[in-house]
């Protein structure tokens, strides 16, 4: 199982490849706000653990294991953003809050949150009712 740091790298690499078709060390470093040398060290670890194949000066390719984990991590991130949006967290706090909690939740908790998000998405009245309750509490 990857560490939280490895998860951040895999998620970022997966997202870059999904958006641009490739992931360069400089792009990963910029996105994670780390030094390129840190990226190189982590890429070597991820290569050793079979999440990707890295060839110096040639780039990297995610293995099937890396693609699967990268997609799972990106989906988790998007789910948590949806969840925080639904429960009324202010937009400017969502990204930071997701980054703060995503590594601390079990996959069981993620599955339960996914069910709750789906519950609210299936019926707009449920979301309106939640917003009404939130407004009532704010006015107390």
């Amino acid at each position: 199982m990857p560490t939280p740091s490895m998860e951040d790298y895999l998620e970022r690499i997966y997202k870059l490849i999904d958006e641009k078709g490739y992931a360069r060390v400089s792009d990963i470093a910029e996105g994670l706000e780390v030094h390129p040398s840190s990226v190189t060290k982590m890429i070597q670890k991820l290569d050793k653990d079979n999440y990707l194949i890295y060839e110096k000066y040639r780039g990297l390719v995610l293995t099937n294991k890396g693609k699967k984990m990268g997609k799972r991590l990106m989906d988790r991130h998007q789910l948590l953003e949806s969840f925080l949006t639904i429960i009324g967290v202010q937009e400017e706090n969502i990204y930071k809050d997701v980054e703060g909690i995503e590594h601390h939740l079990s996959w069981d908790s993620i599955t339960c949150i996914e069910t709750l998000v789906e519950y609210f998405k299936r019926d707009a009245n449920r979301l309106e009712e939640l917003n009404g309750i939130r407004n009532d509490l704010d006015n107390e």
Side-chain angles (χ1 to χ4, degrees), residues 5-17:
S5 182
M6 291 168 83
E7 286 183 349
D8 285 340
Y9 279 85
L10 282 168
E11 182 181 350
R12 186 72 194 149
I13 292 166
Y14 182 88
K15 187 173 183 181
L16 283 166
I17 290 172

Side-chain angles (χ1 to χ4, degrees), residues 1-120:
M1 198 67 184
T3 65
S5 182
M6 291 168 83
E7 286 183 349
D8 285 340
Y9 279 85
L10 282 168
E11 182 181 350
R12 186 72 194 149
I13 292 166
Y14 182 88
K15 187 173 183 181
L16 283 166
I17 290 172
D18 189 49
E19 291 173 355
K20 299 169 92 174
Y22 60 90
R24 296 182 309 196
V25 168
S26 59
D27 294 330
I28 299 164
E30 182 181 324
L32 294 175
E33 298 178 353
V34 297
H35 292 282
S37 59
S38 298
V39 174
T40 301
K41 286 178 190 172
M42 180 58 78
I43 286 174
Q44 290 167 344
K45 278 185 196 173
L46 293 169
D47 186 3
K48 186 174 136 281
D49 290 347
N50 299 312
Y51 288 104
L52 55 81
I53 298 168
Y54 174 64
E55 293 180 29
K56 197 172 184 177
Y57 306 116
R58 301 224 21 151
L60 58 94
V61 177
L62 287 171
T63 62
N64 285 336
K65 177 182 176 181
K67 287 177 190 172
K68 184 177 176 183
M69 182 58 74
K71 178 166 180 15
R72 187 176 189 198
L73 296 169
M74 202 163 101
D75 290 348
R76 175 184 70 184
H77 190 101
Q78 291 169 342
L79 172 69
L80 292 172
E81 284 184 356
S82 294
F83 173 67
L84 294 179
T85 300
I86 283 171
I87 64 171
V89 173
Q90 294 178 0
E91 182 72 31
E92 64 268 15
N93 295 327
I94 290 177
Y95 181 80
K96 184 181 70 154
D97 287 352
V98 169
E99 287 298 314
I101 65 173
E102 67 184 340
H103 302 296
H104 301 286
L105 294 172
S106 67
W107 287 103
D108 181 48
S109 293
I110 296 296
T111 300
C112 292
I113 290 170
E114 184 176 30
T115 302
L116 185 62
V117 167
E118 185 61 28
Y119 172 80
F120 283 110

